[in-house]
Amino acid sequence: METWRIEEIEDFFPKFFFIAKSKIVLCLSAINVTLSGLLNFVDELWSSCVEERIIVFTTNHKEKLDPALLRPGRMDVHILMDYCTPTVFKKLAALYLEIEEHDMFEPIEKMLLEVKTTPAEITEQLMVSKNPDVTLKGLVEFLETKKLTKESVDTETKEAEA
């Protein structure tokens, strides 16, 4: 089964995350559920649905999931929700700032390859102002601060291990 990156799905499933005819939220972290119970629950959901349904599962550790849960028919589309990439940044900038290019894009894209930041964090920075110059300058400052903070934590960790 193939895994898709989040930016790869938008052409195939426009507004995939925002449109749903029914919402069912199942939180398994607070209750004891067996694999068999979970599989029966999911299979019953599918069999009882007259219309098509989208069921969303999230995990930070896909490799720990049982193959029975990942098989086609239970989970047909896998979407990797990763850190922000230059491609995702450009799409977000086009969406929020309505620009396709800017002088600040190149340094921001280089920093995104060095600093782990989520698309949500980038979106938060892009919503500060409609003025691209102000917003992108703020984004650079945010990324620089995040990089310095990470370097500081890494240094402290190395010193503690020594």
Side-chain angles (χ1 to χ4, degrees):
M1 184 170 309
E2 131 182 43
T3 300
W4 295 5
R5 295 187 65 81
I6 188 69
E7 63 267 18
E8 295 171 335
I9 68 159
E10 72 178 11
D11 293 335
F12 300 102
F13 302 104
K15 302 191 189 293
F16 177 74
F17 295 106
F18 306 107
I19 299 174
K21 292 183 180 176
S22 70
K23 295 179 183 178
I24 298 174
V25 177
L26 176 64
C27 180
L28 299 175
S29 61
I31 57 176
N32 290 328
V33 176
T34 64
L35 176 62
S36 175
L38 178 61
L39 295 175
N40 287 334
F41 175 78
V42 171
D43 291 343
E44 188 61 33
L45 272 178
W46 282 118
S47 67
S48 66
C49 294
V50 177
E51 299 176 29
E52 292 185 24
R53 297 287 188 245
I54 297 173
I55 301 175
V56 178
F57 293 87
T58 62
T59 181
N60 289 332
H61 303 283
K62 180 181 168 187
E63 70 280 358
K64 293 182 180 180
L65 296 178
D66 191 282
L69 189 59
L70 296 172
R71 76 162 174 77
R74 288 202 178 105
M75 292 191 189
D76 296 321
V77 178
H78 296 223
I79 302 168
L80 176 63
M81 305 286 284
D82 209 356
Y83 292 107
C84 194
T85 63
T87 302
V88 172
F89 162 69
K90 283 187 170 182
K91 289 181 181 185
L92 291 171
L95 180 67
Y96 287 97
L97 300 176
E98 299 176 349
I99 59 173
E100 300 293 325
E101 283 296 325
H102 193 280
D103 292 341
M104 298 296 294
F105 276 16
E106 188 176 333
I108 290 172
E109 290 171 7
K110 286 181 182 177
M111 281 192 275
L112 286 172
L113 297 174
E114 299 172 10
V115 180
K116 289 184 177 181
T117 186
T118 66
E121 291 173 308
I122 298 300
T123 299
E124 184 178 0
Q125 297 300 314
L126 294 177
M127 293 172 60
V128 168
S129 170
K130 284 288 185 188
N131 181 329
D133 295 327
V134 171
T135 301
L136 295 176
K137 183 179 181 217
L139 178 57
V140 168
E141 291 171 4
F142 168 79
L143 292 170
E144 287 173 346
T145 300
K146 194 161 183 159
K147 182 178 178 179
L148 290 174
T149 303
K150 183 192 179 309
E151 288 173 355
S152 174
V153 169
D154 288 348
T155 302
E156 290 174 11
T157 303
K158 287 178 183 176
E159 290 174 358
E161 291 173 353

